[in-house]
């Protein structure tokens, strides 16, 4: 029998060679993938502390990672408008105006309101050379406008147009104080204040929204403006504009929280509010959580098609995107150029309020509103001084509480409670030359507010429920010395971004007292490390990124609509043309 062993050796040997080659190729592919991943993520640094799972809201809301590499500035916005939205007219609509003219005897005084909305939108409107439409409530507002109710602002360097809308006392009472602030405001904030809904207020709200819609139409230079509708005062406005300017890009930003669908069901006109908002091309909120609540409300109360993966709602043949855009502030804040250094600000504030150098200063700055947790802040100070009496005489709380909606019973009651609580603390812990609570219920300019931020050892932001709360970001931006501690409520949208703050539950007075003690005893080095990271976040995620992200989404939406129309107009066999919004669904089948 012939020996066939030599014929078996070659095939076996070849098989082993093939196996080794395959293993080698696999290894090379794996190494290449690892190197590519490392290159795309940047250099890997050795962590000095355990990695944390939470990401700031703006890093996980679906926006492009490349956006974080852009130096966002007014020039960036102008570039976006020139390249992505050429010849687009930008119209901003809000209830509050950025500049107020009041009579002061025989003179006219210009007031810039200390408003988060104004401080965020004013730099944007300047950069875009747009038109801002707002209610003219100043006592001298009518005296300074032209025959078309317009005035160029800012006065020192006019760069955009302010168009004022006039409201009667009855309209303001029903639309603003009534439906907006006794109805929608408590409905959207979980602060345990019952919303009040009156048919007469709703009628005024509809009428004022219609009046603002008429003004938008009058100010639009063509049929395709970009209209930025601001906040809960104008839930009906997007649909009213859409009916008359179907080609407009309408971006509605809801600055306050959106409640879950069960809470929202309380509103007698819930369907009309949702229909009004879905006249928008884009509906924006501060956090993805609020986006989800809005989508759930639409799903429950309207017959619509919802693409949750794309955060898109189809209603009445129109598409609305629902996205999270965490609002921010101008970087660096313009007010800092007009202020002395931190040391000088600290000295001036302490002299003004009679504080010794050995007294640690905590500050709270906001409107006098029941959602801001002012009473809870006072309870936290009470806890600290009760459990740690050694701090009596060594810590004071300066509470700046600008009067707000003072004719409403809930706000009158809050004002009285705050004064009683402050007086009680001052009676129990105060002594000669020392007042633990300094309650200042008057308006302050933005420059005065920034001076107080720079003087503070601790900034307390203890909102019971808030959309964002820009005070937290303003405090961080004011601290070029990288000192100071931010004590921040977990129920403020800012807590999703400023992770290095001391995050607290404002309903837990004991926890807040402990956090306040931690803030007062924190080392300068730890303050610096926390403040450096928070300043990076506010710098990179500034107000220009907020606006730019919305404008880029608007540009993409406009291009998508154009392509859809081109595809729809092209000759094709029946059933072969699929809109862009349907392609993902078809591809998954």
């Amino acid at each position: 029998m012939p020996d066939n062993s030599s014929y078996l050796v070659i095939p076996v040997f070849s098989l082993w060679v093939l196996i080794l080659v395959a293993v080698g190729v696999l290894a090379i592919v794996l190494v290449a993938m690892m190197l590519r991943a490392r290159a795309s993520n940047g250099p890997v640094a050795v962590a000095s502390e355990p990695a944390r799972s939470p990401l700031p809201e703006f890093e996980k809301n679906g926006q492009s990672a490349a956006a974080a590499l852009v130096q966002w500035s007014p020039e960036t916005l102008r570039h976006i408008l020139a390249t992505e939205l050429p010849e687009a007219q930008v119209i901003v609509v809000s209830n509050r105006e950025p500049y107020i003219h009041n009579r002061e005897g025989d003179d006219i005084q210009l007031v810039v309101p200390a408003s988060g909305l104004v401080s965020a939108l004013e730099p944007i409107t300047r950069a875009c050379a747009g038109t801002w439409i707002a209610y003219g409530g100043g006592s001298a507002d009518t005296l300074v406008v032209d025959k078309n109710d317009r005035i160029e602002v800012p006065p020192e360097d006019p760069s955009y147009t302010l168009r004022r809308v006039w409201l009667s006392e009855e309209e303001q009472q029903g639309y603003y104080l009534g439906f907006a602030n006794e109805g929608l405001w408590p409905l959207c904030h979980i602060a345990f204040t019952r919303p009040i809904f009156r048919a007469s207020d709703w009628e005024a709200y509809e009428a004022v929204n219609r009046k603002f819609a008429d003004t938008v139409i009058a100010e639009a230079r063509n049929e395709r403006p970009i209209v930025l509708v601001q906040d809960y005062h104008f839930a009906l406005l997007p649909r009213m504009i859409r009916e008359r300017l179907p080609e407009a890009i309408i971006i509605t930003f809801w600055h306050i929280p959106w409640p879950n669908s069960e809470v929202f069901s309380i509103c007698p006109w819930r369907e009309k509010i949702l229909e009004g908002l879905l006249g928008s091309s884009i509906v924006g909120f501060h956090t993805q959580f609020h986006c989800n609540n809005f989508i759930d409300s639409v799903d429950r109360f309207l017959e619509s098609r919802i693409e949750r993966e794309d955060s898109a709602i189809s209603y009445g043949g129109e598409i609305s995107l629902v996205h999270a855009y965490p609002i921010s502030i101008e970087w660096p804040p313009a007010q800092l150029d007009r202020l002395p250094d931190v040391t000088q600000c600290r000295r001036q504030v302490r002299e003004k309020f009679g504080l010794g150098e050995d007294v640690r200063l905590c500050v709270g700055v906001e409107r006098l509103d029941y959602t801001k947790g002012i009473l809870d802040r006072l309870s936290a100070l009470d806890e600290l001084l009760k459990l740690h009496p050694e701090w009596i005489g060594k810590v004071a709380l300066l509470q700046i509480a600008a009067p707000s909606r003072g004719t409403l019973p809930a706000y009158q009651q809050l004002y009285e409670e705050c004064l009683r609580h402050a007086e009680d603390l001052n009676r129990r812990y105060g002594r000669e030359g020392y007042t633990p609570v300094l309650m200042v219920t008057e308006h302050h300019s933005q420059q005065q507010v920034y001076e107080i931020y720079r003087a503070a050892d601790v900034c307390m932001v203890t909102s019971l429920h808030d959309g964002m709360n820009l005070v937290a970001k303003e405090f961080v931006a004011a601290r070029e010395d990288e000192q100071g501690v931010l004590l921040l409520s977990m129920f403020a949208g800012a807590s999703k971004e400023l992770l290095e703050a001391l995050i607290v539950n404002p309903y837990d007075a004991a926890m807040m007292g402990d956090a306040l003690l931690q803030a007062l005893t924190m080392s300068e080095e730890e303050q610096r490390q926390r403040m450096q990271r928070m300043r990076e976040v506010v710098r990179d995620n500034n107000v220009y990124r907020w606006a730019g992200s919305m404008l880029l989404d608007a540009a993409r939406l406009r291009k998508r609509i154009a392509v859809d129309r081109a595809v729809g107009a092209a000759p094709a066999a029946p059933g072969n043309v699929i809109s862009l919004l349907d392609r993902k669904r078809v591809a998954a089948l």
Side-chain angles (χ1 to χ4, degrees), residues 425-440:
L425 291 176
N426 290 337
R427 183 175 60 256
R428 287 192 285 127
Y429 300 114
R431 57 183 63 165
E432 187 176 353
Y434 169 64
T435 305
V437 180
L438 301 166
M439 196 82 180
V440 183

Side-chain angles (χ1 to χ4, degrees), residues 124-357:
I124 305 308
T125 318
R126 273 193 274 114
C128 299
T131 298
W132 189 322
I133 300 172
Y135 161 57
S139 57
D141 277 356
T142 58
L143 303 178
V144 297
V145 296
D146 63 16
K147 63 180 181 179
N148 297 311
D149 299 323
R150 301 186 187 115
I151 181 172
E152 298 300 310
V153 291
E156 69 279 4
D157 182 23
S159 54
Y160 69 92
T161 301
L162 173 59
R163 169 69 152 88
R164 285 171 169 153
V165 177
W166 316 115
L167 301 179
S168 68
E169 185 65 32
E170 293 75 17
E171 286 175 322
Q172 181 71 352
Q173 181 69 36
Y175 138 81
Y176 178 75
L177 292 174
F179 189 77
N181 287 308
E182 283 191 295
L184 287 179
W185 180 268
L187 178 73
C188 292
H189 289 86
I190 304 173
F192 309 108
T193 297
R194 176 173 174 158
I196 299 172
F197 296 108
R198 307 179 188 92
S200 59
D201 291 343
W202 170 253
E203 291 168 3
Y205 188 82
E206 281 187 304
V208 171
N209 273 245
R210 182 71 64 188
K211 180 177 286 191
F212 272 83
D214 293 340
T215 306
V216 170
I217 304 306
E219 292 296 322
R221 294 194 295 265
N222 55 53
E223 296 182 350
R224 306 182 72 202
I226 298 172
V227 186
L228 306 178
V229 178
Q230 304 302 312
D231 225 353
Y232 63 102
H233 310 93
F234 298 112
L236 306 180
L237 184 59
R239 177 65 58 190
M240 293 175 175
I241 298 173
R242 175 70 61 212
E243 290 169 351
R244 298 167 68 181
L245 290 176
E247 299 292 320
I249 290 291
I250 304 169
I251 303 173
T252 299
F253 193 81
W254 195 265
H255 288 260
I256 63 177
W258 188 274
N260 64 48
S261 62
E262 186 70 21
V263 172
F264 185 67
S265 69
I266 294 171
C267 182
W269 301 279
R270 61 201 182 200
E271 289 86 0
K272 290 187 177 181
I273 288 173
L274 294 173
E275 288 173 351
L277 289 170
L278 290 179
S280 309
S281 313
I282 300 172
V283 183
F285 298 91
H286 291 298
T287 69
Q288 189 60 45
F289 181 68
H290 297 151
C291 291
N292 296 343
N293 281 349
F294 177 77
I295 292 172
D296 288 344
S297 297
V298 173
D299 194 18
R300 179 170 177 179
F301 298 113
L302 295 183
E303 193 69 34
S304 60
R305 169 183 154 190
I306 296 174
E307 296 287 355
R308 291 184 182 270
E309 186 177 349
D310 296 325
S311 292
I313 298 173
S314 176
Y315 179 74
E318 297 171 347
I319 302 295
S320 298
L321 304 180
V322 183
H323 287 179
Y325 305 99
I327 199 171
S328 194
I329 62 172
E330 183 180 20
W331 183 276
Q335 290 79 8
L336 298 186
D337 292 336
R338 299 187 288 271
L339 286 173
D341 60 25
V342 171
T343 302
Q344 180 65 17
C345 287
R346 184 180 178 89
R347 181 163 51 249
Q348 290 174 182
V349 169
R350 288 175 175 274
E351 288 177 358
K352 179 178 180 180
F353 293 101
L355 297 170
E357 277 300 317

Side-chain angles (χ1 to χ4, degrees), residues 305 307 309-310 575-589:
R305 169 183 154 190
E307 296 287 355
E309 186 177 349
D310 296 325
N576 287 348
V577 177
I578 303 171
S579 76
L580 292 178
L581 289 176
D582 285 330
R583 290 177 189 175
K584 182 173 289 187
R585 171 178 288 183
V586 173
L589 295 178

